[in-house]
Amino acid sequence: MSKRTTAILLIAVVALGAMTGVAAADSGLEVVVDKDADGTSTVTVTDNGTAVENATVNVSVVDAENESYAGAGEYETDANGTVGLEAPAEDVTVEITATSGNDTGSTTADLEAPDGLELDVSNTDSEPVVTVTDNDTAVENASVNVTTADENASYAGTGDYETDENGTVGLPAAEEDVTVEVTAEYENDSVSETVEIEAPDGLELDVSNTDGEPVVTVTNDDEAVENASVTVALADDADENATYAGEGDYETDENGTVTLAAAEENVTVDVTATYENESVSTTADLTVGGEGDEADEQAFGQLVQEFIDGLENRDGGIGSAVSDFVTENNPGNAPDHAGGPGGPNDGNASDENESDAPGNGNGNAPDHAGGPDGENDSDERGPPAHAGPGGDDVEDDDAEDDDADEEDVEADDAEADEAEEEDEEDDAEDDDEDDDDGESGPPDHAGGPGGN
């Protein structure tokens, strides 16, 4: 045979083989498995998109040693090219092979066992809801039975029920925490569950910010209640003369709250909330904000006044004694003008200022009182002209002495007569001193060293 003939034959064989492969591919069967929620499956066999009737379908378990499937075996497709497979008792993997004439096709599928009849109880802290499903589909007309787990417990929701079109049954709220057994039955199948049902909190009332503008909050099962009725009235044990501008009727907003007027005096009120034929009440003590601080200030002021009223008349005024009393007894910080430790006279604890501390002489004596040096810190304020050593020359000694006598009489009525006698003696001495050198010293009753 020539080489040319051999090459032609080889080409022909390759071409025939290629044509045979295409034909095989075109005539191959397609196998598709659709799984339903109830665990059943549908096998569909097609050839180039056309359903294949009377095709043979073989179903086998891939892992036959460890898994089993009651639906394993041979089937024949119907006019729609389909075969129905039953639901497995447990999850299983199967191989499905379809044959029609000389054409075949296969696939592998994981078949899942259906969920079956299921039971769920929700909203257990309020009004419980029982839901019954079969293969994840709501079951209508399923029988539901509720009993208490403890025969000594009680629950108003015990008894027999039937599910509605949504597969549900509503139970009443528990009056106290209780454990119940719930059983659902449907088409010879049943399922049970033990459930803890909690008594709801119900309608609740709270009053906050009682020392400002009180806020009333109403909740039902821990949720804000809108449009609840709220009544505020003086408590039965409130003072008969007490009044409160916030008395009256209110309605809660979307947050379940009502804001009341601030109390103008301490007062006790009763607050009642009503919602859906249920009511709850509480008593609240409303106080005036900051009243305690004001009371402390008034009490201390009264104490200082009583101290001043009890002071005896003294030379040089009462400023030092009052300053020391305020510093020692003030419950808070002493006023800036108060004397004694920590006051302005304390300064930086210099030797000069220490001489003014309590017990060292002047203390916080009035500005017009004489000092040891007869000088003031300020150039604008100084001792009277008739004050002790260091004072200025007196031009009108008699007139100033008379003025000093009048001030002493006004400051101390008890010494008035004595002061007049001393003034007369001072006048005589002043006249003699004027004749000598034109200078004058202080009268005997004037403040400062050497005075009374």
Side-chain angles (χ1 to χ4, degrees):
M1 182 179 295
S2 66
K3 293 182 179 180
R4 182 166 179 246
T5 302
T6 301
I8 293 173
L9 290 175
L10 181 60
I11 293 172
V13 170
V14 171
L16 180 61
M19 292 176 62
T20 303
V22 171
D26 291 343
S27 63
L29 302 179
E30 183 180 7
V31 180
V32 176
V33 179
D34 294 318
K35 292 175 285 187
D36 296 329
D38 61 358
T40 61
S41 302
T42 301
V43 178
T44 303
V45 180
T46 59
D47 184 8
N48 292 323
T50 302
V52 178
E53 184 179 4
N54 299 324
T56 301
V57 175
N58 182 272
V59 179
S60 61
V61 177
V62 173
D63 186 3
E65 294 183 359
N66 298 311
E67 296 178 347
S68 63
Y69 174 50
E74 279 193 1
Y75 301 84
E76 192 172 89
T77 59
D78 59 17
N80 297 316
T82 62
V83 168
L85 301 179
E86 64 182 88
E90 60 184 7
D91 294 350
V92 63
T93 301
V94 296
E95 183 176 7
I96 304 172
T97 301
T99 303
S100 177
N102 293 324
D103 298 329
T104 63
S106 63
T107 189
T108 300
D110 294 323
L111 307 183
E112 298 177 357
D115 294 328
L117 195 65
E118 290 187 309
L119 171 67
D120 177 72
V121 182
S122 60
N123 202 30
T124 56
D125 58 353
S126 182
E127 294 183 343
V129 176
V130 179
T131 302
V132 180
T133 59
D134 188 16
N135 299 324
D136 297 327
T137 301
V139 176
E140 185 178 5
N141 299 325
S143 298
V144 175
N145 176 264
V146 180
T147 60
T148 57
D150 183 354
E151 60 181 9
N152 296 319
S154 61
Y155 172 52
T158 57
D160 295 321
Y161 303 84
E162 193 171 84
T163 58
D164 58 17
E165 64 276 10
N166 299 315
T168 62
V169 167
L171 301 179
E175 295 181 358
E176 58 183 357
D177 294 352
V178 63
T179 302
V180 297
E181 293 282 353
V182 183
T183 301
E185 294 183 356
Y186 181 70
E187 293 184 351
N188 300 321
D189 196 5
S190 67
V191 62
S192 297
E193 185 174 344
T194 300
V195 181
E196 300 284 345
I197 299 179
E198 299 177 2
D201 294 330
L203 196 64
E204 292 184 308
L205 172 65
D206 176 72
V207 182
S208 59
N209 197 34
T210 55
D211 59 352
E213 292 187 343
V215 176
V216 179
T217 302
V218 181
T219 58
N220 189 30
D221 296 338
D222 295 328
E223 295 184 359
V225 177
E226 185 177 4
N227 299 327
S229 298
V230 174
T231 301
V232 180
L234 291 175
D236 293 338
D237 58 353
D239 188 291
E240 61 180 4
N241 295 321
T243 60
Y244 175 51
E247 283 190 278
D249 296 324
Y250 304 84
E251 193 170 84
T252 56
D253 58 17
E254 64 275 9
N255 299 315
T257 62
V258 167
T259 301
L260 305 178
E264 296 182 357
E265 59 180 335
N266 292 351
V267 65
T268 301
V269 296
D270 287 331
V271 183
T272 301
T274 303
Y275 181 71
E276 292 185 351
N277 299 323
E278 187 176 359
S279 65
V280 61
S281 298
T282 189
T283 299
D285 293 322
L286 309 184
T287 59
V288 179
E291 180 184 20
D293 295 339
E294 295 178 3
D296 289 343
E297 294 177 1
Q298 293 175 356
F300 180 66
Q302 182 65 28
L303 189 64
V304 174
Q305 184 60 47
E306 291 176 356
F307 174 77
I308 294 174
D309 293 342
L311 288 175
E312 296 180 357
N313 294 321
R314 58 176 66 191
D315 293 337
I318 63 174
S320 176
V322 173
S323 175
D324 292 343
F325 177 82
V326 169
T327 301
E328 294 173 2
N329 296 279
N330 193 348
N333 295 326
D336 293 340
H337 61 276
N345 292 338
D346 201 21
N348 294 321
S350 66
D351 293 339
E352 179 181 354
N353 289 337
E354 287 177 358
S355 65
D356 291 336
N360 291 337
N362 272 353
N364 291 327
D367 293 339
H368 63 273
D373 298 329
E375 296 177 357
N376 284 336
D377 293 338
S378 171
D379 293 336
E380 296 179 2
R381 294 188 299 173
H386 61 278
D392 296 334
D393 292 340
V394 180
E395 296 178 359
D396 298 324
D397 296 316
D398 293 342
E400 290 182 334
D401 287 341
D402 291 339
D403 292 339
D405 291 341
E406 291 175 2
E407 292 175 358
D408 290 339
V409 170
E410 293 174 358
D412 195 344
D413 293 338
E415 296 178 307
D417 294 336
E418 181 180 354
E420 290 178 358
E421 293 176 0
E422 291 176 352
D423 288 340
E424 291 175 0
E425 295 176 359
D426 291 342
D427 290 341
E429 293 175 358
D430 290 339
D431 291 337
D432 293 338
E433 291 175 358
D434 289 341
D435 293 337
D436 294 336
D437 55 12
E439 296 181 353
S440 175
D444 293 341
H445 62 274
N452 290 334

